Amino acid sequence: MIGQTLKPTYYTPSLNIHGEDTEGTTRHFPSTAADAEEWVLIDGTPASCVQIGLYHFFQDKGPIDLVLSGPNYGRNTTSVFALSSGTLGAALEAAVCRKKAIALSFAFFSRNHDPPIIEAACRHGIRVIEALYKQWPKDDSVDVYSVNVPLVEGVEEHKTLWADMLQNYWRESCFQEIEGDAGDADEEETRIRQGEIHNGSNVQEKNGHKHKHFKWAPRMADVHHSVEASGPGNDGRIIRDGNTSITSMKANFAISHPERAAKEFEFEFESPSQVLPLRGSPKQEDEAKGAGAGFQAIVVYDDPYVQPLIVTAIKAVFPQELIKLFTNVSTTDDFSMSTFLDSEESRVLQIMPYESLDFEFAATNPTSCLINSYMIRKALIRKHYLSAIVDHWVAKNPDSPLKQHVKRSESFEVDYAEFLDDALVEAFDLRESMARNVDIGENEPSKREWWILKPGMSDRGQGIRLFSTMEELQDIFDGWEAGRPDSDDEDEETQDLAAPNEGRDYITASHLRHFVAQPYIHPPLLVDGRKFHIRAYVLCTGSLTVHVYRHMLALFAAKAYSCPWQSPNDIESFLTNTCLQGSPAENSVRRFWDLPVPEARLRRLFEQICSVTGEVFEAAARAMPVHFQTLPNAFEVFGLDFMVDEGGEAWLLEVNAFPDFKQTGEDLSEIVEGFWRGVMRVGVAEFFGIDVACEDQGDMVLARDVALGRR
């Protein structure tokens, strides 16, 4: 604003403070009325508005203790948007003036919004602002809160989560070059006077630059990709999922409390101890004093189904005098292991959500700190990475069990449906199969080879489809793109695209990039006419041993099975992911060993699953070590899904980190508890060198012991 004079105008709203409905007016000079309630509009930047508002108006109203910037119509999530945000700039300006500041932004996914959706976002924004103001830290740890509220239906019922800010980057220019506008009279005159036009033709300036105009046209696919490739807890992912994000910052572009990202925000509190808790309850601390604990255990799994089962397992395996257990630790404010421990020599077990783990502390204390997750393992949990690993491993190890128990997938990337054909250029097997299917014709669909399409970065069964021809595959992508925002619309990150089953199965536009296509397993083994898959719980420890829990589960589809050519869109007949079932069918989750299948076949299936599980983890660690990095002082639990064909062969479908244990259900929760007892015995007791005995000693079956030599 150097060299400019900023001029205010004065606006009186149509509804004044007395509730009287009047006509809104704008003046060049302030009102002389004694009770005038005017807005002051400044023709400058948002930051300049803050400076002028703080120091040059409203002095008669007393000190200003909160500056609210916004609401801005459009998100200010991830660094590429936040760093160029006028809304955040205004809040940061207030912070450097030593005022509390909140930046409020409304993230939209399409430009069609009913007034009730916007009104709900406003109400929720006010609620968040009031709660933040009431619990503002008194230790100067926070200068600015950036709040992003998504414009989605039911936002007031969705979660409000603390968020880290995703660090991402533009890969190319955000502007598109266009030819200079010859119709601009001022520019035309300037060029004539400077001798740029001779005989009606343009010539370049002496410096060789061509005169251009530029249009804002960012490549939003870069932003979408960065969000999808990121881990949980950042603002981009939280908004993508339809939740409200709160990012706390200092006025130096540093996140003030990164350790609480993805933790749910508490709107109400009773005392300062609830805002900044660091340890267990007084009762827990008193019980632990003088116990001579062998190690401290912090168990905050952030899942009401799993948390009590883990605690029960710990107490069942370890004598009380050997552990000092904390279960209500808050990691949302200035939490660090170094300040939590009794002493520098203390040994500690962390069982927390991935985003809450103190990886830095674990790295610097490899013999005394054990954590429940590896830092990098997307080689296994991303479907397109897993497909690449299997291809690579089988090519070098043709006798690997992965060749007989993993269907070879074709992975490809698609930005837009119109480029689908180009995306499949190297998917030779898939293209040949679809060509053969066309030759078979529509009269004999049972002779076609069917494929199952899976978004490479989705979960919970979202976006899975069946197809057999290029036309059917194209229809799938065209259907998704029908609701996708136009590429020219700025800042539209995701769009929920409903599927045939009443919206329970969906895919977001940000998933429309990485895909895998696998040959569909038909006919599958059926029990009582229904399709099922096997869920195996797996424990990985150190660098690297792999154990499979013997007590596996069978998860059933909601409806009786039908062939893919009979009802390719009836996912309730062929999808066995129980989280998609609005009202799970009877016996939707059963014990594997109780299935009405000959015991010899069950034993053979279990042997296959153990063999494939051990092989796939070793393949990931050796073939793609950049994306699967084991740690000597870490363990992790996984859920592996296997399909069984009619001949009794098990086929690996996918690998899940932090599996959804809730799918097990309350009736079979003892299976989850028993698995965690095995985790304590094999993964924890052995690390700390504690001898323990359990009646279920043989339930953790060693599938692979690989010496990777990682320290």
Side-chain angles (χ1 to χ4, degrees):
M1 308 310 299
I2 295 175
Q4 299 187 38
T5 299
L6 304 186
K7 301 176 182 179
T9 54
Y10 306 88
Y11 172 72
T12 303
S14 59
L15 192 68
N16 61 30
I17 59 173
H18 304 298
E20 299 167 342
D21 195 1
T22 61
E23 184 178 354
T25 58
T26 302
R27 304 182 185 86
H28 291 289
F29 295 95
S31 172
T32 58
D35 61 347
E37 288 291 333
E38 293 180 315
W39 295 53
V40 182
L41 312 181
I42 302 294
D43 63 346
T45 63
S48 63
C49 283
V50 170
Q51 278 277 346
I52 293 171
L54 286 175
Y55 296 113
H56 301 282
F57 286 98
F58 315 117
Q59 289 83 357
D60 58 320
K61 295 181 179 295
I64 295 172
D65 51 10
L66 177 67
V67 173
L68 173 62
S69 178
N72 173 64
Y73 191 63
R75 78 195 60 196
N76 281 308
T77 56
T78 80
S79 60
V80 296
F81 293 132
L83 288 173
S84 57
S85 167
T87 306
L88 265 172
L92 289 167
E93 189 73 15
V96 297
C97 294
R98 304 303 297 163
K99 301 295 181 183
K100 299 181 180 71
I102 298 175
L104 176 64
S105 304
F106 288 164
F108 59 85
F109 307 101
S110 70
R111 294 188 178 276
N112 298 320
H113 294 294
D114 294 331
I117 291 180
I118 298 177
E119 291 168 4
C122 290
R123 287 193 302 269
H124 189 60
I126 290 172
R127 181 174 176 235
V128 171
I129 290 165
E130 289 178 339
L132 286 172
Y133 178 74
K134 289 177 182 177
Q135 54 184 282
W136 205 286
K138 295 179 172 56
D139 58 358
D140 290 331
S141 62
V142 176
D143 291 334
V144 175
Y145 287 111
S146 176
V147 178
N148 280 269
V149 179
L151 293 180
V152 295
E153 187 173 354
V155 69
E156 293 174 285
E157 285 72 48
H158 293 189
K159 290 183 178 180
T160 299
L161 302 171
W162 294 107
D164 195 356
M165 183 178 291
L166 175 62
Q167 176 66 69
N168 55 357
Y169 304 90
W170 291 119
R171 298 182 182 180
E172 54 189 65
S173 174
C174 297
F175 291 86
Q176 175 186 355
E177 296 180 7
I178 58 177
E179 292 297 325
D181 186 1
D184 189 315
D186 292 337
E187 291 188 2
E188 190 78 3
E189 180 183 357
T190 300
R191 283 183 288 182
I192 291 174
R193 290 186 180 279
Q194 292 179 350
E196 296 178 14
I197 297 181
H198 302 284
N199 299 323
S201 61
N202 291 348
V203 296
Q204 291 186 338
E205 298 177 6
K206 293 180 180 180
N207 62 7
H209 292 305
K210 182 180 180 181
H211 184 61
K212 306 171 185 176
H213 286 181
F214 299 90
K215 178 184 178 182
W216 171 248
R219 178 180 164 83
M220 289 300 174
D222 291 346
V223 180
H224 303 164
H225 176 71
S226 67
V227 171
E228 286 303 325
S230 67
N234 67 72
D235 50 3
R237 285 289 291 273
I238 288 171
I239 287 296
R240 183 208 71 175
D241 294 337
N243 298 317
T244 296
S245 70
I246 304 174
T247 303
S248 56
M249 297 182 293
K250 294 292 291 179
N252 57 6
F253 293 99
I255 305 298
S256 67
H257 293 289
E259 73 285 345
R260 66 185 177 190
K263 292 290 186 181
E264 191 153 4
F265 173 67
E266 296 180 6
F267 283 91
E268 298 180 1
F269 65 102
E270 297 177 358
S271 66
S273 64
Q274 287 184 285
V275 180
L276 296 170
L278 288 178
R279 295 191 177 244
S281 66
K283 181 180 179 181
Q284 287 176 311
E285 299 236 13
D286 291 340
E287 291 175 350
K289 287 179 180 178
F295 63 93
Q296 295 177 248
I298 305 171
V299 181
V300 189
Y301 198 79
D302 201 24
D303 185 326
Y305 178 90
V306 185
Q307 173 80 5
L309 300 179
I310 299 176
V311 172
T312 301
I314 289 178
K315 293 180 177 179
V317 172
F318 296 104
Q320 184 176 352
E321 64 272 13
L322 291 182
I323 58 172
K324 188 174 181 180
L325 180 62
F326 301 98
T327 59
N328 65 346
V329 176
S330 172
T331 60
T332 59
D333 292 277
D334 292 336
F335 176 84
S336 68
M337 290 308 307
S338 58
T339 59
F340 181 87
L341 297 178
D342 291 338
S343 69
E344 294 182 358
E345 291 75 28
S346 296
R347 302 189 299 175
V348 62
L349 165 67
Q350 299 182 53
I351 299 182
M352 303 179 182
Y354 176 88
E355 60 275 3
S356 301
L357 289 168
D358 192 339
F359 284 104
E360 182 177 354
F361 182 86
T364 55
N365 296 271
T367 60
S368 60
C369 177
L370 178 65
I371 56 178
N372 68 301
S373 178
Y374 298 124
M375 181 177 291
I376 300 175
R377 64 274 203 270
K378 64 182 178 181
L380 288 161
I381 63 178
R382 297 301 189 198
K383 299 179 185 67
H384 47 296
Y385 280 109
L386 181 61
S387 171
I389 285 174
V390 171
D391 276 355
H392 179 87
W393 190 254
V394 169
K396 292 192 174 184
N397 302 274
D399 296 329
S400 168
L402 298 184
K403 185 174 183 178
Q404 288 78 36
H405 296 282
V406 182
K407 293 287 186 181
R408 187 185 182 281
S409 301
E410 295 280 11
S411 58
F412 54 94
E413 297 185 9
V414 180
D415 279 322
Y416 297 98
E418 62 184 298
F419 303 132
L420 175 60
D421 191 62
D422 295 336
L424 299 179
V425 168
E426 296 184 4
F428 303 110
D429 292 347
L430 175 59
R431 295 181 71 94
E432 289 180 3
S433 172
M434 292 190 295
R436 289 194 301 269
N437 289 337
V438 171
D439 293 337
I440 291 172
E442 298 181 359
N443 296 327
E444 297 181 291
S446 62
K447 294 184 178 180
R448 292 182 181 180
E449 181 180 17
W450 284 79
W451 293 76
I452 186 165
L453 177 71
K454 300 177 181 180
M457 301 179 71
S458 69
D459 53 16
R460 301 175 69 83
Q462 298 170 10
I464 293 180
R465 301 289 187 271
L466 298 183
F467 68 95
S468 62
T469 65
M470 186 63 186
E471 181 181 4
E472 293 168 350
L473 183 59
Q474 187 69 59
D475 286 344
I476 292 171
F477 280 89
D478 289 342
W480 281 332
E481 192 145 290
R484 190 179 187 182
D486 294 337
S487 60
D488 288 337
D489 289 344
E490 62 181 83
D491 198 16
E492 294 176 350
E493 187 168 297
T494 59
Q495 174 76 19
D496 285 354
L497 305 177
N501 65 327
E502 300 178 357
R504 289 198 304 273
D505 175 32
Y506 67 93
I507 181 173
T508 57
S510 55
H511 287 154
L512 294 181
R513 184 171 179 86
H514 298 283
F515 288 87
V516 294
Q518 293 176 328
Y520 182 67
I521 299 171
H522 175 81
L525 180 64
L526 302 180
V527 171
D528 299 330
R530 290 159 62 194
K531 182 180 176 182
F532 68 93
H533 80 262
I534 298 170
R535 163 58 61 91
Y537 291 130
V538 175
L539 168 67
C540 291
T541 58
S543 295
L544 169 76
T545 59
V546 183
H547 288 79
V548 177
Y549 186 52
R550 186 176 184 276
H551 300 287
M552 303 186 299
L553 301 169
L555 283 70
F556 283 78
K559 296 167 55 176
Y561 181 71
S562 60
C563 300
W565 56 89
Q566 294 173 330
S567 52
N569 295 323
D570 186 5
I571 68 171
E572 290 189 333
S573 70
F574 72 83
L575 265 191
T576 53
N577 194 318
T578 58
C579 68
L580 289 175
Q581 300 174 16
S583 299
E586 186 178 359
N587 293 326
S588 61
V589 183
R590 300 166 66 175
R591 296 175 183 268
F592 169 76
W593 295 102
D594 290 345
L595 292 176
V597 176
E599 185 177 351
R601 176 175 283 193
L602 294 179
R603 288 199 303 269
R604 182 171 178 272
L605 283 171
F606 182 70
E607 292 171 358
Q608 291 177 3
I609 288 172
C610 289
S611 174
V612 172
T613 298
E615 188 83 354
V616 76
F617 277 91
E618 180 175 359
R622 295 192 186 279
M624 201 176 283
V626 173
H627 297 307
F628 182 45
Q629 299 183 13
T630 59
L631 298 170
N633 60 325
F635 69 89
E636 185 153 8
V637 300
F638 295 88
L640 272 64
D641 292 337
F642 291 84
M643 186 60 61
V644 183
D645 65 22
E646 192 175 50
E649 297 295 320
W651 298 90
L652 175 64
L653 301 179
E654 62 184 31
V655 179
N656 301 280
F658 280 83
D660 185 6
F661 287 105
K662 291 192 295 294
Q663 290 191 54
T664 306
E666 293 296 337
D667 294 341
L668 298 178
S669 61
E670 71 272 12
I671 289 181
V672 179
E673 182 185 333
F675 171 64
W676 279 99
R677 285 198 301 269
V679 171
M680 294 302 136
R681 188 180 67 254
V682 174
V684 178
E686 291 186 9
F687 178 82
F688 289 120
I690 301 174
D691 292 328
V692 295
C694 277
E695 57 185 21
D696 49 6
Q697 193 84 20
D699 288 345
M700 301 295 287
V701 178
L702 180 65
R704 193 62 54 103
D705 188 357
V706 187
L708 296 176
R710 297 177 185 173
R711 297 291 185 265

